[in-house]
Amino acid sequence: MQVSLDINGASVALDLDARTTLLDALRNHAGLTGSKKGCDHGQCGACTVMVNGRRINSCLTLAVMHEDDEITTVEGLAEGNTLSPLQRAFISHDGFQCGYCTPGQLCSATAMLDEAAKGWPSNVTADLENATPLTDEEISERMSGNICRCSCYPGIVEAIREAADAPAQKTGAEA
Amino acid sequence: MKSFDYIRATSVAEAVQAGGTGARYIAGGTNLLDLMKLEVMAPDTLIDITRLGLDQIEELDNGGLRIGALVPNADLAADMRVRRGWPVLSRALLAGASGQLRNKATTGGNLLQRTRCYYFYDTAAPCNKREPGSGCAAMEGFNRILGVLGTSDHCIATHPSDMAVAMQVLDAEVEIEGKDGTRRVELDEFYRLPGDTPHIETVLAEGELITAVILPPAPGGKHVYQKVRDRASYAFALVSVACVAKVEGGVLEDISLAFGGLAPKPWRNRAVEDLLKGQAPSEALFEQAAETLLAEAKGHGSNDFKIPLTRRTLVSVLGEATKGAAA
Ligand SMILES: Cc1cc2nc3c(=O)[nH]c(=O)nc-3n(C[C@H](O)[C@H](O)[C@H](O)COP(=O)(O)OP(=O)(O)OC[C@H]3O[C@@H](n4cnc5c(N)ncnc54)[C@H](O)[C@@H]3O)c2cc1C
Ligand code: SF4
Ligand code: FES
Ligand code: FES
């Protein structure tokens, strides 16, 4: 069936079987191989993209369900050759080794910072009614949906903390 | 994945009209697509219900809350009304899955998610729930994540939801739309025990659509949700306890308890609550409550540990819920 997707600000028309997941549509049909397939079952986070600014696992949703939605993949995080603050922080803090989980980590962290800015609590937030600072414990909990087989967690947490502490940044995901 | 017809419904009436045998509603898709990829589920028709406008949380005149079936788990957990009035629900939601999954998972889909029993997922294994009459590979197999209460000789699967455990402790009701109109069912009556038909999990008829979950007015008191699992985040519960408790003058004036990870449905045992009500909190009382809860519990080998684990978790939760109130 004909499906029109809005990916990184461009409208893309694709001819897809209804069974195609958003992840397979991006990788195999739209030529955007940044998003990775780790488990294909929602268990690793490598396929994380943003849909209307919210992070989701693209392996557990159908492309046809996302007509008219704004999809942002790792390819859409930089502005031209200018990396986002989070991307730069991942480089300066060694937030990766093999890099396979990194596109998912970046999309997840970008949207996670917006969730935190909106005051969303997490499982480790002590007081549900008042905003808490984004401690390392909070970052780890909020990023638990992204597994890193190389175990670069210390660098990932440092990178996210640096990006979170930086003055207001453009995230590519208007809340 | 088997192929299917895809229908995007634009109204509740249209969705219900399209529903029926062979068709499935798809909401967040985080459980259904997982199972369809393995062909554990293989609907002929998928009815997309994400554009029906069922994504609102409304305050009711009686002080309760009407949670639309399509409200994402993340939004429900973050809603300030829920965080203030029904914090046990926020806590349970935040203890489940991951940030990405909670953004997609919906209220209705969460209630209807299927068991995580390994053999249910393995189409080469006998499983009465997946294929009625084929047997149960878990009974003598790896069953450490499976049930000790409410199970049957045909199935020992557990319901994996955290959210449903909190809704159970809050006396939630499920609002259902069918071809014959709207009805409401208490969550406690919504799930069926397996008996000899473990493939039938709820009282929903073919084609019925969940439109909302209704919460009674905020109960007040102290809310606790304690989840015990194999890793600190992004893992299902081995055992979980939801508790809403009111202590007045050194006495447990009111208490509700619900349990996850133990049974085919979010478990509630009123005898345990009655035993605690009107009593002064003490370790001995808590042990007695656990004894009552677990009197009928039956392990199946590798899940035997859940019985003492539940006892300790309940005692600890009751201690936390009544902290500083001991006479
Ligand atoms: C890796 C992983 C970890 C997870 N960890 C946890 C956890 O720790 N705790 C936890 O509680 N959950 C956990 N989950 C499960 C998750 O919460 C569920 O997958 C989710 O809640 C299902 O909601 P959904 O909207 O995506 O449902 P869907 O997948 O869309 O649907 C599930 C079922 O419900 C039916 N359905 C959906 N909506 C309706 C409706 N309105 N009316 C009638 N039928 C309907 C569908 O037909 C389908 O049969 C985890 C999932 C994954 C993949
Ligand atoms: S416990 Fe239930 S779900 Fe698991 S194999 Fe047995 S019948 Fe199937
Ligand atoms: S590939 Fe989607 S979560 Fe692993
Ligand atoms: S950098 Fe290798 S998996 Fe994360």
Side-chain angles (χ1 to χ4, degrees), chain B residues 124-198:
Chain B
C127 168
N128 289 324
K129 190 186 274 301
R130 178 167 33 73
E131 213 179 306
S134 63
C136 171
M139 209 65 79
E140 309 279 316
F142 293 100
N143 52 39
R144 69 182 296 276
I145 65 169
L146 299 182
V148 295
L149 285 168
T151 56
S152 76
D153 292 343
H154 300 268
C155 179
I156 57 173
T158 50
H159 193 274
S161 171
D162 290 295
M163 180 195 82
V165 178
M167 287 181 171
Q168 172 77 303
V169 92
L170 292 169
D171 294 310
E173 289 186 323
V174 185
E175 186 187 279
I176 300 166
E177 188 78 21
K179 291 195 172 93
D180 302 328
T182 312
R183 61 182 182 127
R184 272 205 204 178
V185 178
E186 285 176 28
L187 188 60
D188 201 25
E189 305 289 315
F190 178 74
Y191 294 105
R192 294 175 37 137
L193 291 181
D196 56 7
T197 53

Side-chain angles (χ1 to χ4, degrees), chain B residues 10-35:
Chain B
T10 55
S11 69
V12 168
E14 195 188 314
V16 170
Q17 209 49 47
T21 313
R24 281 276 164 189
Y25 299 116
I26 182 161
T30 60
N31 189 230
L32 185 54
L33 289 172
D34 193 1
L35 292 166

Side-chain angles (χ1 to χ4, degrees), chain A residues 136-155:
Chain A
D136 287 359
E137 190 194 11
E138 284 278 356
I139 293 173
S140 297
E141 164 59 26
R142 289 166 193 260
M143 291 297 292
S144 72
N146 292 85
I147 310 286
C148 177
R149 189 65 185 80
C150 302
S151 209
C152 298
Y153 300 112

Side-chain angles (χ1 to χ4, degrees), chain B residues 290-301:
Chain B
E291 194 108 330
T292 305
L293 172 74
L294 296 163
E296 314 262 288
K298 185 170 178 292
H300 300 271

Side-chain angles (χ1 to χ4, degrees), chain A residues 23 36-48 57-60 145, chain B residues 37 234:
Chain A
L23 176 61
K36 296 291 184 267
K37 186 183 284 188
C39 64
D40 215 19
H41 286 278
Q43 298 172 359
C44 74
C47 65
T48 305
N57 301 114
S58 62
C59 69
L60 282 188
Chain B
K37 285 181 186 190
Y234 201 18

Side-chain angles (χ1 to χ4, degrees), chain B residues 22-220:
Chain B
R24 281 276 164 189
Y25 299 116
I26 182 161
T30 60
N31 189 230
L32 185 54
L33 289 172
D34 193 1
L35 292 166
M36 283 172 64
K37 285 181 186 190
L38 300 166
E39 300 187 1
V40 173
M41 291 177 80
D44 304 325
T45 307
L46 266 196
I47 307 164
D48 180 350
I49 55 170
T50 57
R51 301 186 193 209
L52 306 185
L54 294 177
D55 55 356
Q56 302 298 313
I57 305 174
E58 298 154 79
E59 285 159 62
L60 300 173
D61 290 341
N62 71 351
L65 221 50
R66 182 178 184 279
I67 304 161
L70 273 291
V71 173
N73 288 177
D75 300 61
L76 185 56
D79 188 280
M80 199 43 101
R81 292 163 293 188
V82 177
R83 282 150 74 179
R84 291 209 174 104
W86 297 266
V88 70
L89 178 55
S90 282
R91 287 286 176 206
L93 285 159
L94 293 170
S98 67
Q100 291 94 314
L101 287 160
R102 291 192 295 270
N103 272 334
K104 217 56 200 50
T106 65
T107 307
N110 193 315
L111 289 180
L112 291 174
Q113 63 174 302
R114 316 273 325 257
T115 185
R116 308 304 288 200
C117 172
Y118 313 125
Y119 305 100
F120 175 70
Y121 270 76
D122 175 2
T123 50
C127 168
N128 289 324
K129 190 186 274 301
R130 178 167 33 73
E131 213 179 306
S134 63
C136 171
M139 209 65 79
E140 309 279 316
F142 293 100
N143 52 39
R144 69 182 296 276
I145 65 169
L146 299 182
V148 295
L149 285 168
T151 56
S152 76
D153 292 343
H154 300 268
C155 179
I156 57 173
T158 50
H159 193 274
S161 171
D162 290 295
M163 180 195 82
V165 178
M167 287 181 171
Q168 172 77 303
V169 92
L170 292 169
D171 294 310
E173 289 186 323
V174 185
E175 186 187 279
I176 300 166
E177 188 78 21
K179 291 195 172 93
D180 302 328
T182 312
R183 61 182 182 127
R184 272 205 204 178
V185 178
E186 285 176 28
L187 188 60
D188 201 25
E189 305 289 315
F190 178 74
Y191 294 105
R192 294 175 37 137
L193 291 181
D196 56 7
T197 53
H199 58 293
I200 305 173
E201 297 172 349
T202 68
V203 299
L204 276 188
E206 294 273 8
E208 278 190 315
L209 177 77
I210 297 178
T211 46
V213 168
I214 314 287
L215 293 186

